[in-house]
Amino acid sequence: MERTSEPPTYLLSRWLFLRLLGAVYLVAFASLAVQITGLVGEHGIMPAGPYLEWAHSLYGRDAYRLLPTVFWLDRSDLALRVVTWGGAVLSLLLILGLAPLALLLVLWVLYLSLSVVGQDFLSFQWDVLLLEAGLLAVFWAPAQWRSRGRERAPSPVARWLLVFLQFKLMFLSGLTKLLSGDPTWRHATALDYHFETQPLPPWTAWYAHHLPGGVHRAATMAMFFIELVAPWFLLAPPRLRTLRLTGCGSLVLLQLSIAATGNYGFFNALALVLCVPVLDDRLLRPVLPLRLTVRAGVSPARRVILQIVGPAFLVLSLLSLGREIVSTLPRAPGLGLAIPWSDRVMTWVAPFRSFNGYGLFRVMTTSRPEIVIEGSRDGEHWSEYEFRYKPGNVTRRPRFVAPYHPRLDWQMWFAALDPEGNIGWLESLANRLRAGTPEVLALLERNPFPAAPPRFIRLMEYDYRFSTAAEWQRTHAWWVRELVGSARL
C-alpha cells in the first residue's frame, strides 16, 4: 500500500469540484424550469400560492421560519420562472469560476426556496443531497471574484465535511437495507425485482432483469461491500492514498452501474461529484494540468467562522446519520437509543433541509402496480393519456432520461404504490386534465383530446411486468400488463 510523507494539496480538487457541482446545479434548475409551472404554478397540479397561504393560516408568522422561501414575496408563474432560469444562469457562472462563494450561497437559497414550494414534487433524496452538498461547498469555495491562477488554500475542515457527506450517503444506503429487515436484501434476491419495479426503468433494465439469478446475487453482494466497506476507505489518512483511491473507485463503479440501468435524475452525477474532494492534487494533475498556486492561507475571519461552523455541522451530520439508523430499525426499537436533545436540535434545523439521512430502496418493491389515466367525453368511450417516460404503452421502448428528472412521471410511481396517500394531488391532476390546462398537458407525451378536454377522468390500475424473451420475440412488447381495478375521479 502506497505511503507518502508529502502533504497533500487540494487546489485542483476544489477547482474541479466546484465546477462539477455547478453543472449539477445547472441540470437541476434547467430541468425544473421546463416543468415548474405545470407542477406548482398558478394553474399547476399543486399551486405554490394556495400552499403558502394554507401554511400561513396554520402557523402564522412561524410559517416563515418553517418554510423558508423567497416565494413568500411573490408566488406567480413569473417568479417561478425567474428563480429556475435565474438559477440555471448562476450555475453557468459558477462553472466559469466567477464569485464561487457568493454564487453558491445564492444557489442554495434559490434551490431551498424551490424545494419548499415544490412540495411532493421536490421531496426526493437527491434534492436534499444537493442542498446539503451545496451548503457545505459554500465553506470550501474561495472568497474571491476570480482566481486568476492564485487562490487561498482550501479549508481542510470544509473538505473533510464533504468527504463525510459522501461517507454518510453511501454507508447509510447499505446499512439501512440490512437494518430494515427486508427479506429480499437479507437473502440477496433484491435484484430479482429491482430492475423491473424501479420507478423509470430504461431499456437496459429489461436485459439486466433477465440475467441469471446467480448474477443478481453476486451483484447484490458486491453492492453491499461497496456501500458498507468502501466508504470507510474515504476516511483513511492522506498517507494511505491508494486505499482512499480504491474506495473512491469502488463508489464510482457502483454509481456508473446504477446509472446504466436506471433513471435517477441527477443523483448519480451528484454522487460522483462528491468523490472529487477525496482526490488530492497529485492524483488529479495528470488529467487536469492547471497551474494553480496558493495565494495565502485561510483568512483569519474565515478561520474563526470554520472553527464554529465545522464542529456544529459535524454534530448535525452525525445526528442525522444516527436518526436515520434508528428510524430504519423494524418497529423502531432503537428510538430509546436516541440522544434526548437530538430531536429538538434536528427539528430546529429541519426547515433548511441540509442535514439529512439517506437510504434509497431500503425496502424493495416486489411487484409493479401502475396507474394509467384515461379520459372520456361521454363516459363510454375512453382514451389513454400517455406520459413521456413512465411505463404506459407496452410496446414503447423504455427510455434513458437521466440526468433530467421528469417529476410527474416519478410521482406517478409513488401514487401507484399508495393511491390513497396521494389522492389529493391525483384529484388535482384529474381536474387540470378536465380543464385542459396547457401547463399540465405539457408534462405529458400525448393529449388524446386536442380539440376539447374530456368530461370524465378515471384511473386504471394495472400490474406491469417485463415481458419474457419469448414474449418479446412474439409481440415486441417490453411490458405485459394485467388490469387490476379502476376508479373515477
Side-chain angles (χ1 to χ4, degrees):
M1 187 174 297
E2 178 185 0
R3 295 173 180 264
T4 177
S5 58
E6 178 187 348
T9 58
Y10 294 92
L11 283 172
L12 292 176
S13 177
R14 181 175 66 179
W15 186 96
L16 180 61
F17 172 78
L18 294 180
R19 281 152 183 81
L20 292 177
L21 183 62
V24 174
Y25 262 128
L26 175 60
V27 169
F29 278 108
S31 67
L32 188 55
V34 297
Q35 305 176 72
I36 192 68
T37 55
L39 298 175
V40 298
E42 297 170 53
H43 305 289
I45 300 168
M46 302 176 71
Y51 172 65
L52 292 180
E53 291 168 7
W54 166 83
H56 191 271
S57 68
L58 185 63
Y59 300 112
R61 281 196 221 170
D62 217 25
Y64 302 125
R65 178 185 66 83
L66 296 172
L67 300 171
T69 176
V70 298
F71 294 108
W72 286 111
L73 303 174
D74 187 353
R75 305 152 210 182
S76 65
D77 285 357
L78 176 61
L80 292 167
R81 292 191 186 100
V82 167
V83 169
T84 49
W85 286 117
V89 171
L90 295 178
S91 302
L92 282 172
L93 296 179
L94 178 60
I95 294 171
L96 295 175
L98 300 175
L101 190 153
L103 285 177
L104 281 165
L105 184 57
V106 174
L107 287 168
W108 179 79
V109 169
L110 295 183
Y111 205 76
L112 174 61
S113 298
L114 289 164
S115 296
V116 168
V117 298
Q119 304 161 77
D120 290 350
F121 293 114
L122 272 94
S123 62
F124 296 93
Q125 290 206 22
W126 42 93
D127 289 318
V128 294
L129 179 62
L130 180 56
L131 286 171
E132 189 163 1
L135 181 59
L136 295 178
V138 170
F139 297 96
W140 204 33
Q144 55 197 73
W145 290 103
R146 192 172 178 84
S147 71
R148 301 185 186 279
R150 290 178 61 80
E151 299 180 352
R152 286 190 179 273
S155 162
V157 174
R159 187 195 72 84
W160 197 89
L161 288 171
L162 284 164
V163 173
F164 188 76
L165 172 59
Q166 177 70 302
F167 167 86
K168 180 173 68 170
L169 170 67
M170 292 291 102
F171 182 67
L172 279 178
S173 294
L175 187 61
T176 54
K177 292 181 178 72
L178 291 180
L179 294 181
S180 69
D182 181 76
T184 66
W185 290 118
R186 291 288 180 92
H187 301 144
T189 59
L191 292 187
D192 292 344
Y193 308 98
H194 166 71
F195 299 110
E196 180 179 62
T197 63
Q198 63 181 312
L200 300 181
W203 59 270
T204 51
W206 186 91
Y207 292 96
H209 176 71
H210 291 299
L211 290 173
V215 176
H216 288 168
R217 289 175 221 346
T220 301
M221 299 309 296
M223 179 276 301
F224 272 124
F225 175 82
I226 292 174
E227 291 188 343
L228 293 173
V229 178
W232 293 96
F233 296 171
L234 307 182
L235 307 181
R239 67 179 182 276
L240 302 180
R241 181 180 281 114
T242 301
L243 189 62
R244 297 164 73 188
L245 186 59
T246 300
C248 189
S250 300
L251 297 179
V252 169
L253 178 63
L254 175 63
Q255 292 304 319
L256 292 178
S257 300
I258 295 171
T261 56
N263 286 300
Y264 295 96
F266 52 82
F267 169 73
N268 303 114
L270 181 53
L272 290 172
V273 172
L274 284 171
C275 289
V276 175
V278 179
L279 310 176
D280 60 37
D281 291 351
R282 181 181 172 187
L283 289 167
L284 290 174
R285 195 168 287 117
V287 295
L288 197 64
L290 296 176
R291 305 185 71 178
L292 297 177
T293 57
V294 176
R295 179 164 62 90
V298 179
S299 68
R302 199 165 193 198
R303 186 178 293 111
V304 172
I305 292 173
L306 287 168
Q307 286 174 346
I308 299 171
V309 168
F313 278 25
L314 176 59
V315 169
L316 291 170
S317 192
L318 287 169
L319 288 176
S320 65
L321 183 149
R323 278 167 56 98
E324 194 68 22
I325 293 173
V326 167
S327 65
T328 303
L329 294 171
R331 302 185 188 89
L335 288 177
L337 303 176
I339 302 172
W341 47 264
S342 64
D343 281 345
R344 293 196 300 272
V345 172
M346 297 308 294
T347 299
W348 189 81
V349 300
F352 303 110
R353 308 178 184 216
S354 298
F355 305 97
N356 311 291
Y358 301 94
L360 289 170
F361 295 107
R362 68 191 67 192
V363 175
M364 180 57 60
T365 51
T366 57
S367 62
R368 187 184 190 93
E370 199 69 59
I371 290 177
V372 172
I373 301 179
E374 295 181 345
S376 173
R377 293 199 183 97
D378 57 14
E380 295 183 7
H381 302 89
W382 297 85
S383 298
E384 181 177 321
Y385 286 90
E386 189 70 30
F387 285 74
R388 292 185 186 276
Y389 306 108
K390 88 174 192 70
N393 184 343
V394 296
T395 61
R396 187 179 68 177
R397 183 185 187 185
R399 307 180 189 180
F400 273 105
V401 59
Y404 176 75
H405 183 189
R407 294 177 181 268
L408 177 58
D409 293 65
W410 257 84
Q411 282 303 126
M412 291 297 295
W413 181 77
F414 288 109
L417 295 176
D418 181 18
E420 291 186 6
N422 292 270
I423 193 63
W425 71 263
L426 284 172
E427 288 179 340
S428 178
L429 173 60
N431 291 335
R432 297 305 187 194
L433 295 178
R434 275 192 291 265
T437 306
E439 295 90 341
V440 174
L441 290 172
L443 301 173
L444 305 179
E445 175 80 4
R446 184 180 68 88
N447 173 21
F449 303 95
R455 292 179 57 200
F456 307 101
I457 294 291
R458 70 181 183 184
L459 305 182
M460 308 297 290
E461 183 181 352
Y462 287 89
D463 179 60
Y464 273 65
R465 64 170 176 83
F466 273 141
S467 61
T468 64
E471 288 170 332
W472 193 90
Q473 287 291 336
R474 187 173 66 255
T475 65
H476 293 286
W478 295 83
W479 298 97
V480 175
R481 71 183 189 182
E482 179 182 354
L483 184 63
V484 175
S486 64
R488 286 201 188 189
L489 291 181

